[in-house]
Each structure stands twice: as C-alpha cells, then as structure tokens.
C-alpha cells in the first residue's frame, strides 16, 4: 500500500456548514481546527449555566468542543474529520430525545 | 483469534511496536482514534508534508523522523484500523472493545501493547473555562492540522519545554504573541543543578533544551509567575497576573496554558493493573517492569502512557514490549532477546536521567497547585474549588466521597480534567511527600458510545 | 453511640439517633470500599416488594408514607434536596406473553395485599399517553402504572444525610475500618489500624462487612454480594415523566439511568460488555429513541443480600446494646429507618413493623 504522503497532489480543500456559515478546511483536518482557523471560538453553551465553551485540548480528552454533527449531538469536534457538506451546529440547550420531524404513531 | 498482539495507539510507541512485531513475523492489529498514524507528536504529519511540498517547502528535520517512522509503519505487515476508539478493555486485557465508524466490535487479544500517550496536565486557573483558553498543545495541533496559528493576541502561560516550543512555532508562523508568562524562575534552575551531570549523557536532548530556552521569541516575558486569572465575559479578554517581580494585566484574545504532560492512564486503570504515584513527575502511572509489562501478563504499556520520557523513549519501549511478547511465543531465542533488548534498555535509562532535570526545572508552582474560590475545577459539571473545599472540610477523604457530594468528575471527560486538582485539594502535603489517595475507579466506556451502538455491538469471544 | 458503616443505612439510623439527641460517631471504611450507597438507582420501590412476604410489603409501604416528611425535613435542615417525588412507576411489557404474565402477577398482588395495592394495567395506547412524547418500541404490548412508588436522587440523599448528621453534632470518621469489637462491663470497644473507640451502644450496619462484625457480638448472619451493573447517559431534555420499572429513569438534570442487572459473581464490582449490552438492548426494545443517546458512565455495585433477601433487625442476646441492621433497600427504607429504629435502639421499643425481621425467622426456617 502506498503511504498517503507519497501521493503526488497536495491535499484538497473541503467545505462544511457551521450554522449559517460556510467553513473551508483541509481534507483530513478536524472540525475543531477548521473552526478555530476560521475564527470560531465558541462551539457551545452549557444548558445548565448558560456559560459559553470552546475547544480546549484538541486531542479528545476534555470534551469541551462537543457539537452537533449531521443531526448527532455531543460529537467531539476535535476528533471528527471534516467531510464535504457536513452540517455542524453549536449546542446551546439540552436536545430532545426525539427528532422534531420524527413520524409519530397515531 | 487471528492477532498475536493488539496495539492500542499509533503514536511513536505503537508504530515502533508494530514495526518490530512485523519484523519478527508477529501479526499485529493496531487501533488508533485518529484518521492517520503519528500520535500527538506527529499528528497529521503526512498532510503537512503534502501541503508543504505543494508550496515548494519541506518538513523540519525534527519532524522528518516522524514521517520516516510512519512510512515504515505503513509498509510493515500490520493491520491498521484508523478512527477506532477503544472504549473498553477487560480486566487483565484479554478483551478489547472499540468503536469504528459507528459500530462497536469486541475482540479477544492474546497480548496487548497499550500506547495511549499523554495529555497536558490540567491546572485549573480562574477563568480557564472561557472560550479562547486552550492548552499550548492544542495550539500546536491546530497549527499542524490547519496550517494556521491561533488568531488574535496570544498569551502563553505556564511552564515546560512545550510552552517555549509553542511560543517559537507560533511566532514563526506570524502569530501575535503578546506575552510569555512563565512560572519558571532562577530558583528552579538552581534546584535542578544536581541533575545536570546525569543529563549530560543525553547531549542532543540538552542541546534542544538550551535552544528552547535561549531562542524564545522577542515578546514581553514574565518569569517566576505565581498567580494568574483569566478575565472575560463569554470569551477571553485578558490575564491578570502576579509574579515575584510584581503584578500586571495583559489584554488578549487567547490564552494558551501548559504545565507539562502526564500519562493518560484511563486504559491501564480500566484494565485494573497496578499503578504507582510518581513523585518526581507528580502523576499516577502504571507499574511496569524492564519489558514495559504491567502487573497483568502480556499487557504492556509503552510510550508516555507508562511514564513521561518523550518520543525517542516511546519507540524504544514499544519495541521492548514486542520483544518480550515474541520471546514468550517462542519467536526469538533467549540470546537474541538479550541482544536486541540491551541497547533499548540502556537508551531508556539514559533518557530517564535527562528527564529528571527537565521535571525539576519545570514544575507547577505551589501557588497554582491548589485552586480556590470560584475557579471551575470540574469543567463538565461546573464544580468550583470552593464547593470541593466545602466537601473536603466535611470529611470527604477520597475522590469518590467528593463525587457523591459535589458531582466532581462525573461528566463526559470522565474526570480527566479535574482529578489531578481535586486530588491535590484533598492531599495538602502532596509536595512534602504525602501520597495522594488512589485515583478514582475507571469504568467503561472511556470513549463516547451510544446505547444503540452498545446494543448492536459485535461481540466475538 | 457508635455506628459501624457509613452508607445510606447507617446514615439514616444515625440521622434519627442524632435528632433524638444521641451523641453519634459513624465509622466508615476507605473511599475505595464496596459501597452500594454510591452506586444505586435511587428508587423508592413498593409495588414489586414482598410478593411472597406481606410483612416486607407493609414495611416498605410504611416507609414510602414517611418519605415525604423525611425528605422535606432533610431539605430544610441541610439545604440539600434529595429530589424525592412519589410520582409512581410505569412497567412496560414486551410481547403478549410477558404482558399476560405481568397482568396476572399484578392481580395476584392485589389479592394478597388488599386495598392498599394500587396498580393499574395499561394497554399500549394508555402507556403512550402516560409516557408523553417518547416513542414506544414496536413489540411493546402494554404495561401498568403504580402510584405507590417514588424516586429520589441517591447521591443527594446520601450527602444530605451526612450533612444532617454533622449538623446535629455527629461525627463521620472516614478511613475507620473496624477490625475487632470487644465488650467489657457493658461497653463496646471497636478497634482498627486507626486506634480504638468505645461506647455503651453499638449499631452494625456495614452492608457486606456485617457478618464478620456481627459474629463478634454473638450474631450469626449471612450477607452475600449480588452485583448490579448500570449506566448513565448524557443529559437530554426531560423525555419520560415516570421511571420504568427496574430499567430506566431520568434524573432532574437530564441524565438517564439504565439498569440494573442481577448477578451472583462474588466480590467483583467490575462491568462486563455482555451484561451492559443486554441492558442496552432491553432499554431500546422498550424506548427505541434511547438508541442515539450517549453513555457517560457505566458502573457496578454490590447489593448486600441476606439469605432470604429481606432485612435483618436484630439486637444481640449475648451482648445487649449491640444491634445488627442490614438490608439491600436502603433508599426505600431510609425514611422508616430514621423514624423507627432510634426508639428501638435507644428505648427498646421495637415497632410491630420490624418484629417479623429478627433473625429468628431464618433459624426456624433452617431448623424446619
């Protein structure tokens, strides 16, 4: 198998949504570093205290950078690799157990 | 069961272990949480290399060795599963559960080399929970991955080689560093002189250290820092500090903290092996023998996860682990075992001697060891130092008692950010030889796992 | 007065004794000791108690009636709210057979207990109504609701009790594991590596540590560990208003607890993937929306089980003044322990509710 660093071309750029913003990133980069590089400092608000929080360790330990990614809550932005067109949202409140568009039993 | 050894972590220790295993004909399965090998030390180095080469530049020599190691690792006969988060290891290590692309797998393991690495010692300061405060290592990671330095006016605060290195790297990348506040002062160097002769045996390490100390960027510097608090409404706005030379305030947009690194012991504690308090490095670490073997047979801990010695030592300890396993399996003779191991064991001794010097110079000042007042100690559950102090005053004698009374350590980081400070708070004589109480019990899952993923887990026993 | 054992059982008794003016010292073992008080589900369970032992149902029921006042007093005295709510409990059945068997058991319970036993069978539609927004699993056939049960926040309760004892002048001595108990001229002396302490009265409420200590005051009682594994999730919006029997509850701050297994594995409080997986499967089978919720922690605790599973309240014949109290429902019985045990320990008046739970029952059973 040829190591990825032997590939001739430079890494591609990808883009994803953060709320209403379009964020550019390198392929292989994490959501957290891409957000920080774009000047996003606050990735969430604590539901209990209302305090803002942002990434701290970037190695998956502190769990401060939890965001919603493609509908899944509490994802570590620093461990998740960006994908083209992924949807990332700030978490500002406790999430409901059921999605709002969930088809309900009659 | 089709693996001879399962290696957890693809940093320097894990990669060296896998390369050694493959060279001895052992089948290794390597699991790592990141999308590419390298660990924190050589994080995203392949990407960086490609980016730099596209711009007509190359990697610095200190990083080139990482790229070479990764190349040998990728070329070895190893099964590498990236983006695999290990969330459980059974007592003694014979069974490992990991999450890979949303699916959980539980697999048996004949032998395990755990190479979980280290993380930066969390030292709670007032306001350290504000957005804009990160660890210095995080700023490095960001630079490595995105190619961009931290934005705005930056203050670096704390102590240790990595703090100085980050300051230099950020400056070189064009960042706006407005302050380098170091707890280190003349007294620290004086205290460390007895360790100098032994350290001289590691000439390269010493040279690197001197370079770091002398080639710091031209920014306002403060030495002998004793206290600091970070100010801001909903993000960093500045730092108040006090040092032996006086006090002051620096307006800034980002604060990067660093107080050395400590082993990540989640995995080894979960496996239930013996741990010991390392007084010199002020941290818990698994007890390992000359082969990196823990109190459980065929469960090795290699690299910084077994005690902080750096990436060069990590490679050596990774290889030693495999030699021991291969010998048990009859793949190498007694003779070649000692022949192959001797230089590695000598090398580890030499590096340990140099380490003593570094640990003595750069240690957290006593004034910052025990947080107080409104400082948030447990960031997940937002428990303040005052609340912990109150529980302590009412007679909590261990971390579990504290937990019951304050919820400290009960959040998603699983006490990794608060337990050191909480432990120091209930062990007032920690600097005078008083042993802290044993660390809190670790239970699965040590990585995020949903109920659905657990219910659908693929369990192969 | 010395109380050996600093768990919820010992602390509830100590709280009652301290309120009566007794001078209390609680001796607790190390932080690392097995402790069911730090690992339980926090249920005040009545509707599934004492199917084969009416006295046990009556005991538990009596405690549930004392709980409201117990909780409010604790909150007023300490400022720590144990978050008690006698809100009732839902049972969910999966498949027709399980539902039929459950309905039959509920009917039999009502026959045995009488009018006090309130427990209504619900069909699937009723169940949905009760549980609000949360979706029911496809195989859920029905269930039931009993207003008899309640919940509390177990860690808040525990720290509230300790706080209350201290406020009444009692002391809690950590790292005071008791090894030996001596008795001389009506005075008990307990000893450990930490030293020794003496008092004319001694209460042994040491959970799994009880048999060793009880034997030193002439009481032979067997207690074995029974492991229960459970997990707690991330915080989510309030999603289901009632605890689900033996399986699920949502705490006021949003976390969901899932448990609890029953295993006979000796002194081993570690978790296992296979048991946790089966708990997860059971939870999702009933409430499938739980599938996307993240687990924050799993743990196991050891229930101290007596031979027949019922509490033991026994004063030593050989060494009067020494009392042995052990049970595995320390939360359910906390209110009753606080109210009824002090008058027995201090004044010798053993309430009729406690009478059936002497050791005599086990001895006569084994003799027969």
């Amino acid at each position: 198998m040829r190591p990825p660093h032997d590939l001739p071309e430079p890494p591609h750029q990808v883009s994803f949504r953060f709320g209403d913003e379009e964020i550019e990133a390198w392929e292989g980069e994490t959501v957290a570093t891409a957000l920080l590089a774009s000047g996003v400092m606050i990735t969430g608000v604590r539901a209990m205290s209302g305090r803002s929080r942002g990434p701290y360790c970037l190695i998956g330990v502190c769990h401060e950078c939890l965001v919603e990614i493609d509908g899944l809550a509490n994802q570590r932005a620093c461990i998740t690799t960006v994908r083209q067109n992924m949807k990332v949202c700030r978490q500002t409140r406790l999430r409901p157990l059921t999605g709002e568009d969930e088809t309900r039993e009659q | 069961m089709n693996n001879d050894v399962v290696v957890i972590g693809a940093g320097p220790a894990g990669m060296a272990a896998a390369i050694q295993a493959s060279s001895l004909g052992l089948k290794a399965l390597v699991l790592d949480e990141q999308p590419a090998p390298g660990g924190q030390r050589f994080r995203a180095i392949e990407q960086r290399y490609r980016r730099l080469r596209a711009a007509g530049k190359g990697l610095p020599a200190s990083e080139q060795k990482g790229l070479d190691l990764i190349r040998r690792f990728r070329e070895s006969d190893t099964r590498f599963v990236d983006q695999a988060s290990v969330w459980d290891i059974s007592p003694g290590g014979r069974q490992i559960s990991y999450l890979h692309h949303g699916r959980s797998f539980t697999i048996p393991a004949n032998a395990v080399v755990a190479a979980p690495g280290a993380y930066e010692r969390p030292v709670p300061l007032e306001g350290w929970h504000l957005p804009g405060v990160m660890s210095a290592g995080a700023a490095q990671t960001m630079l490595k991955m995105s190619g961009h330095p931290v934005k705005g006016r930056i203050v670096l605060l704390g102590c240790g080689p990595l703090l100085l290195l980050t300051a230099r790297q950020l400056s070189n990348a064009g960042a706006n560093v407005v302050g380098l506040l170091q707890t280190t002062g003349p007294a620290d160097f004086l205290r460390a002189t007895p360790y100098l002769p032994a350290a001289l045996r590691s000439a390269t390490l010493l040279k690197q250290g001197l370079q770091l100390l002398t080639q710091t960027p031209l920014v306002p510097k403060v030495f002998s820092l004793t206290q600091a608090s970070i100010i801001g409404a909903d993000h960093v706005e500045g730092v108040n500090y006090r040092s032996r030379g006086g006090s002051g305030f620096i307006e800034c947009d980002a604060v990067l903290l660093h107080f050395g690194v400590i082993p990540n012991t989640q995995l080894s504690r979960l496996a239930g092996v013996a741990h010991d308090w390392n007084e010199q490095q002020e941290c818990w670490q698994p007890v390992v023998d000359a082969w990196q073997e823990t109190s459980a047979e065929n469960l090795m801990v290699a690299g910084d996860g077994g005690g902080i010695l750096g990436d060069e030592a990590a490679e050596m300890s990774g290889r030693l682990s495999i030699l021991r396993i291969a010998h048990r399996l009859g793949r190498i003779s007694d003779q070649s075992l000692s022949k192959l191991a001797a230089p590695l064991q000598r090398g580890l001794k030499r590096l340990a001697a140099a380490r003593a010097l570094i640990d003595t110079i750069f240690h957290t000042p006593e004034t910052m060891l025990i947080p107080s007042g409104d400082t948030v100690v447990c960031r997940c559950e937002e428990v303040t130092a005052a609340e912990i102090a109150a529980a302590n005053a009412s007679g909590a004698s261990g971390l579990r008692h504290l937990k019951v009374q304050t919820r400290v350590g009960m959040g998603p980081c699983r006490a990794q950010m608060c337990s050191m400070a909480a432990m120091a708070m209930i062990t007032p004589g920690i600097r005078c030889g008083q042993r802290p109480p044993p660390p809190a019990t670790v239970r699965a899952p040590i990585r995020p796992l949903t109920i659905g993923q657990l219910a659908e887990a693929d369990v192969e026993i | 007065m010395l109380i050996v054992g600093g768990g919820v059982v010992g602390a509830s008794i100590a709280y009652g004794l301290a309120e009566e003016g007794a001078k209390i010292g609680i001796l607790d073992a190390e932080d690392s000791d097995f402790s069911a008080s730090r690992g339980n589900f926090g249920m005040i369970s009545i509707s599934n108690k004492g199917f084969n032992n009416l006295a046990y149902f009556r005991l538990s029921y009596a405690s549930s009636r004392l709980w409201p006042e117990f909780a409010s007093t604790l909150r007023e005295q300490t400022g720590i709210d144990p978050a008690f709510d006698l809100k009732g409990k839902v049972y969910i059945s999966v498949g027709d057979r399980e539902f039929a068997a459950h309905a039959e058991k509920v009917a039999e319970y009502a026959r045995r207990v009488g009018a006090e036993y309130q427990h209504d069978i619900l069909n699937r539609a009723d169940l949905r109504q009760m549980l609000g927004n949360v979706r029911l699993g496809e195989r859920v056939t029905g269930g039931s609701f009993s207003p008899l049960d309640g919940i509390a926040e177990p860690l808040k309760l525990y720290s509230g009790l300790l706080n209350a004892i201290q406020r009444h002048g009692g002391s809690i001595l950590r790292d005071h594991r008791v090894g030996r108990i001596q008795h001389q001229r009506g005075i008990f002396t307990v000893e450990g590596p930490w030293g020794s302490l003496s008092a004319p009265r001694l209460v042994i409420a040491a959970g799994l540590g009880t048999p060793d200590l009880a034997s030193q005051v002439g009481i032979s009682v067997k207690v074995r560990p029974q492991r229960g594994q459970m997990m707690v999730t991330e915080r989510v919006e309030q999603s289901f208003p009632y605890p689900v029997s033996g399986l699920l509850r949502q705490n006021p701050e949003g976390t969901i607890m899932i448990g609890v297994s029953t295993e006979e594995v000796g002194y081993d409080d570690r978790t296992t993937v296979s048991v946790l997986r089966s708990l997860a499967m059971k939870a999702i089978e009933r409430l499938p929306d739980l599938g996307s919720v993240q687990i924050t922690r799993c743990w196991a605790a050891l229930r101290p089980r007596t031979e027949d599973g019922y509490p033991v309240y026994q004063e030593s014949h050989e060494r009067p003044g020494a009392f042995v109290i052990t049970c595995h429902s320390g939360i359910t019985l906390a209110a009753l322990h606080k109210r009824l045990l002090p008058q027995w320990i201090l004044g010798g008046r053993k309430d009729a509710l406690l009478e059936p739970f002497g050791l005599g029952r086990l001895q006569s059973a084994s003799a027969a």
Side-chain angles (χ1 to χ4, degrees), chain B residues 120-383:
Chain B
E120 292 168 272
R121 177 192 302 277
V123 173
L125 299 178
E126 201 182 324
W128 76 316
H129 58 276
L130 288 168
V133 183
M134 297 202 298
S135 71
Q140 270 196 325
T141 300
M142 180 188 162
L143 191 58
K144 287 174 186 175
M145 296 214 94
S146 70
H148 294 286
V150 171
K151 291 198 177 317
R153 296 158 297 176
I154 304 165
V155 167
L156 290 113
L157 191 158
C159 60
L162 196 117
L163 186 77
L164 304 174
L165 182 66
T166 309
R168 193 164 78 194
Q169 288 169 339
L170 286 173
S171 284
N172 291 347
N176 184 13
V177 178
V178 296
L180 177 54
L181 312 184
Q182 302 181 66
T183 63
T184 321
D188 296 307
F189 288 97
L190 215 61
R191 200 181 46 242
T193 43
Y195 299 97
L196 192 61
L200 286 171
R201 287 164 58 204
S202 295
T204 33
L205 214 75
L206 212 61
K207 207 178 93 192
Q208 284 168 4
L210 275 176
Q211 266 177 6
L212 273 180
L213 288 169
T214 51
Q215 300 178 0
T216 48
L218 293 171
V219 297
K221 293 190 190 78
V222 169
F223 291 94
S224 304
L225 179 78
T226 54
Q227 265 162 18
S229 56
I230 300 158
I231 312 296
D234 76 338
H235 59 84
V236 172
E237 289 167 32
V239 184
N240 267 318
Y241 69 88
R242 190 186 296 265
S243 75
R244 302 225 182 278
S247 56
F249 175 75
I250 304 178
E251 217 174 287
C252 61
D253 309 296
V255 177
L256 305 178
L257 301 176
H258 181 76
F259 293 90
V261 294
I262 54 174
N264 193 329
T265 56
Q266 270 191 318
L267 206 57
S268 49
R269 278 153 63 204
L270 180 56
V273 302
H275 284 68
D276 205 1
W277 177 249
N278 180 332
E279 213 169 306
Q280 181 186 304
Q281 300 191 335
E282 298 190 314
C283 58
W284 288 96
Q285 63 186 47
V287 177
V288 293
D289 65 10
W291 305 95
Q292 304 299 129
E293 190 164 20
T294 65
S295 58
E297 189 172 283
N298 278 341
L299 172 54
M300 322 309 216
V301 178
D304 277 354
I308 305 300
L309 285 177
D311 64 291
E312 200 185 337
E315 286 186 48
M316 296 175 184
S317 63
R319 291 178 59 195
L320 275 172
S321 309
I322 294 295
L323 292 178
R324 179 68 164 147
I325 293 165
H327 183 252
R328 280 232 178 91
L329 289 172
R331 304 293 175 89
I332 51 173
S333 64
D334 295 0
Q335 210 182 0
S336 47
L337 175 70
S338 18
K339 204 180 114 206
L340 288 166
L344 300 174
Q345 286 168 338
R346 268 202 309 276
L348 280 178
K349 273 216 181 90
R350 177 173 53 80
L351 289 164
R355 192 70 219 177
L357 182 76
I358 298 172
D359 294 333
T360 315
I361 298 174
F362 302 112
H363 80 163
T364 316
E366 210 142 353
T367 49
M368 292 187 181
L369 213 55
I370 295 172
S372 63
D374 289 338
T375 301
V376 174
V377 175
C378 171
R379 303 169 62 115
C380 298
E381 296 290 319
E382 308 193 293
V383 183

Side-chain angles (χ1 to χ4, degrees), chain C residues 81-92:
Chain C
D81 184 0
F84 168 72
D85 193 343
L86 197 67
K87 54 164 54 170
K89 181 164 71 182
V90 158
Y91 289 73
I92 299 181

Side-chain angles (χ1 to χ4, degrees), chain A residues 73-84:
Chain A
N74 284 338
Q75 303 300 302
R76 288 174 296 169
C78 73
I79 290 295
T80 314
T81 309
V82 294
R83 290 181 304 270
Q84 181 67 38

